[in-house]
């Protein structure tokens, strides 16, 4: 299993059954430095969807009680296992990344810290579970990602994310039905 993407790189690789084992290993590391219940750490993103191609980065959802209370102590503890807080500005989310080395050029893992059991947490878990249970939508999602790469000679992460947004929102909306 080879993980990692450079900044702004978009590449998709075939499903790898080792992705979940890597998540479980990192989950234990997170629990060891944060002393947090396992039910607050979830594997999300395409690497958590069975038999779908994905960017070779492990996405981890971390449920916290209050995003505003993510402090220097938590950041220091996550650095012990190789995660650094990114300067990414996202609504209701704090992002950490793990890199292949001290040059910080290739990211291998993301932690998405969000409010536990609130809307974003629930939507991200629902999306993963829904695609794992619905083959038609899973294939449609895989096709959207592949279409983007076929249509773009110079793919970038923001365009890639925007390209998938309508589909993702459509799946989120199914949670409310």
């Amino acid at each position: 299993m080879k993980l990692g993407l450079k900044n702004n790189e978009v590449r998709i690789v075939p499903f790898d059954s080792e992705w979940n084992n890597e998540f479980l290993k990192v989950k234990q590391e997170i629990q060891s430095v944060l002393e947090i219940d396992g039910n607050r750490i979830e594997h999300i993103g395409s690497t958590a969807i069975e038999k779908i191609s994905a960017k070779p980065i492990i996405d981890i959802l971390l449920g916290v009680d209050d995003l505003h209370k993510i402090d220097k102590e938590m950041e220091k503890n996550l650095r012990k296992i190789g995660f650094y807080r990114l300067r990414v500005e996202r609504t209701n989310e704090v992002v950490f990344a793990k890199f292949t080395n001290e040059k910080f050029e290739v990211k291998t893992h993301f932690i998405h810290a969000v409010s536990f059991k609130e809307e974003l947490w629930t939507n991200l878990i629902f999306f993963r579970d829904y695609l794992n249970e619905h083959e038609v939508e899973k294939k449609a999602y895989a096709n959207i990602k592949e279409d983007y790469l076929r249509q773009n000679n110079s793919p970038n992460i923001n365009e890639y994310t925007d390209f998938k947004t309508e589909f993702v929102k459509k799946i989120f909306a199914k949670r409310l039905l």
Side-chain angles (χ1 to χ4, degrees):
M1 171 188 67
K2 186 171 191 253
L3 293 175
L5 290 176
K6 292 179 181 174
N7 192 33
N8 207 29
E9 179 183 13
V10 180
R11 181 171 41 88
I12 294 180
V13 299
F15 177 79
D16 188 331
S17 59
E18 286 300 308
W19 289 336
N20 194 55
N21 292 335
E22 177 64 14
F23 161 73
L24 292 172
K25 182 185 94 159
V26 175
K27 179 180 180 174
Q28 287 182 331
E29 291 174 356
I30 293 167
Q31 285 183 277
S32 74
V33 296
L34 295 185
E35 298 177 11
I36 192 167
D37 287 340
N39 67 334
R40 288 175 174 256
I41 307 168
E42 292 280 345
H43 187 188
I44 60 165
S46 293
T47 61
I49 300 169
E50 286 290 318
K51 299 181 178 142
I52 191 172
S53 57
K55 294 188 322 284
I57 293 183
I58 305 297
D59 285 290
I60 300 164
L61 189 62
L62 176 65
V64 297
D65 291 327
D66 186 349
L67 282 177
H68 303 293
K69 290 188 178 176
I70 292 179
D71 58 11
K72 297 294 180 198
E73 184 67 22
M74 181 180 187
E75 291 179 31
K76 180 178 143 196
N77 287 333
L78 287 172
R79 271 195 305 277
K80 290 177 186 175
I81 58 170
F83 283 92
Y84 293 83
R85 185 173 181 164
L86 301 182
R87 292 184 196 128
V88 176
E89 294 294 325
R90 291 195 178 162
T91 305
N92 301 321
E93 181 178 2
V94 175
V95 182
F96 296 84
K98 189 172 196 172
F99 299 84
T100 55
N101 60 38
E102 295 79 31
K103 291 184 180 181
F104 304 104
E105 294 171 344
V106 178
K107 297 175 197 80
T108 58
H109 302 70
F110 284 113
I111 293 176
H112 305 270
V114 304
S115 295
F116 185 56
K117 291 196 174 179
E118 290 193 12
E119 185 175 20
L120 184 55
W121 168 277
T122 306
N123 280 343
L124 292 169
I125 300 291
F126 179 83
F127 184 84
R128 176 202 63 199
D129 293 347
Y130 189 89
L131 290 189
N132 273 321
E133 295 168 8
H134 295 86
E135 200 64 32
V136 170
E137 284 88 349
K138 182 191 301 188
K139 286 181 182 175
Y141 188 53
N143 289 337
I144 287 169
K145 296 189 301 180
E146 290 164 11
D147 286 348
Y148 172 79
L149 291 176
R150 273 193 296 276
Q151 294 172 21
N152 292 279
N153 293 332
S154 301
N156 79 56
I157 197 65
N158 291 329
E159 287 177 0
Y160 174 75
T161 302
D162 290 346
F163 196 80
K164 302 182 308 176
T165 296
E166 186 178 326
F167 179 86
V168 171
K169 285 181 178 178
K170 200 181 316 179
I171 299 298
F172 285 175
K174 291 177 183 286
R175 181 177 70 82
L176 304 174
L177 297 177

